């Protein structure tokens, strides 16, 4: 099993996603002789999972059923264990596009955190690219290494435990892009410039506060970055559902009126009934501000 290569059958040691329903799923490490409890009953890994195809419908001990899905960066973002606040697909999608990433790209990232963005970056630059990710917290760095190994992507990523603001990324003049998600990104702009390739590399900084953005933009200008721009991504979700509307009374058709001539003594009867149709209805509550994304180019 690998997050960057699809496998058809579930094997011992794989990480799989147990799908119980919309917005109800969780990851599980498949192990021979292990069982997993769900609200529909027990899943026995040896008989119910190992050897089955990904996407299979598995019946639990109480008669309910679940689907077993192959892991992807998108599913992992929704189910990973949170060690820090994470980035979600709304921001991840624009980051990978604006940094102009592709297979073979070299990317530097700080900090690793829970690895949500890291998995998406690895999948984007595979099979010949590489991710250099720096995490200040030692335990989080060690846990990230373990997860990358379990997920079959350790050959595509190098995890370093150090302070990027003081020690940089550990590489020079090789990166096509740099991503910063740290409390004081302006202190790492110089190291980011050193890590980027000689010309044309892209940088992105994620910050929740506009004051952080202001200081980061000033630092980018100081170090000669160009095309500096900041944006904010807001996601508005619509539910597609059936709604019912009353049919309005529009009076008789024009041809009916013409047949009666100028006689208007008989008013038309209102048309009764309602019509049902599918419509997109926005949610009453919407996820608001997550953070600001500041992009720039090394000139």
């Amino acid at each position: 099993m690998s997050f960057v290569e699809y496998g058809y059958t579930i094997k011992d040691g794989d990480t799989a996603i147990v799908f119980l329903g919309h917005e109800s799923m969780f990851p599980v490490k498949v192990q021979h002789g292990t069982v997993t409890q769900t609200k529909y009953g027990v899943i026995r890994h040896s008989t119910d999972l190992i050897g089955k195809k990904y996407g299979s419908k598995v019946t639990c001990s109480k008669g309910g059923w679940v689907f077993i899905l192959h892991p992807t960066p998108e599913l992992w973002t929704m189910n990973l264990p949170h060690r820090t606040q994470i980035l979600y697909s709304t921001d991840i999608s624009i980051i990978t596009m604006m940094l102009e990433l592709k297979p073979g790209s070299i990317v530097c990232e700080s900090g690793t955190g829970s690895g949500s963005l890291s998995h998406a970056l690895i999948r984007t630059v595979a099979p010949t690219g590489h991710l250099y990710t720096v995490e200040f917290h030692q335990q989080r760095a060690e846990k990230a290494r373990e997860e990358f190994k379990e997920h079959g992507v350790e050959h595509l990523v190098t995890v370093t435990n150090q302070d990027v603001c003081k020690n940089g990324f550990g590489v020079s003049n090789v990166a096509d892009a740099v991503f910063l998600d740290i409390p004081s990104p302006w202190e790492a702009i110089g190291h980011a410039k050193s890590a980027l390739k000689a010309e044309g590399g892209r940088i992105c900084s994620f910050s929740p506060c506009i004051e952080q953005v202001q200081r980061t933009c000033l630092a980018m200008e100081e170090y000669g970055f160009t095309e500096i721009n900041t944006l904010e991504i807001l996601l508005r979700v619509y539910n597609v559902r059936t709604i019912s509307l009353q049919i309005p009374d529009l009076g008789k058709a024009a041809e009916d009126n013409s047949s009666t001539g100028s006689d208007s003594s008989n008013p038309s009867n209102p048309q009764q009934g309602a019509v049902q149709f599918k419509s997109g209805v926005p949610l009453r509550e919407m996820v608001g501000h997550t953070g600001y994304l500041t992009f720039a180019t090394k000139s």
Side-chain angles (χ1 to χ4, degrees), residues 4 122-123 125-132 152-158:
V4 296
I122 291 170
R123 197 262 308 272
V125 304
T128 55
H130 200 84
L131 172 66
Y132 295 91
V153 296
E154 72 275 11
H155 61 292
L156 296 170
V157 57
T158 299

Side-chain angles (χ1 to χ4, degrees), residues 46-58:
S46 300
T47 57
D48 297 333
L49 299 183
I50 297 176
K52 299 290 182 65
K53 290 185 177 180
Y54 279 106
S56 297
K57 183 178 179 180
V58 174

Side-chain angles (χ1 to χ4, degrees), residues 264-284:
S264 60
S265 60
N266 296 324
S268 60
N269 292 325
Q271 189 176 6
Q272 301 296 321
V275 61
Q276 292 185 336
F277 59 93
K278 295 289 185 181
S279 177
V281 181
L283 301 180
R284 292 184 177 181

Side-chain angles (χ1 to χ4, degrees), residues 169-202:
F169 293 93
V171 295
S172 300
N173 302 320
V174 297
D176 297 289
V178 170
F179 176 79
L180 298 174
D181 183 6
I182 54 178
S184 52
W186 55 89
E187 296 180 1
I189 299 300
H191 294 296
K193 183 176 181 180
S194 299
L196 287 168
K197 60 186 181 181
E199 187 177 0
R202 294 279 287 167

Side-chain angles (χ1 to χ4, degrees), residues 217-229:
C217 290
L218 290 174
M220 288 179 175
E221 290 182 345
E222 181 182 348
Y223 281 95
F225 283 89
T226 60
E227 300 178 338
I228 302 172
N229 64 89

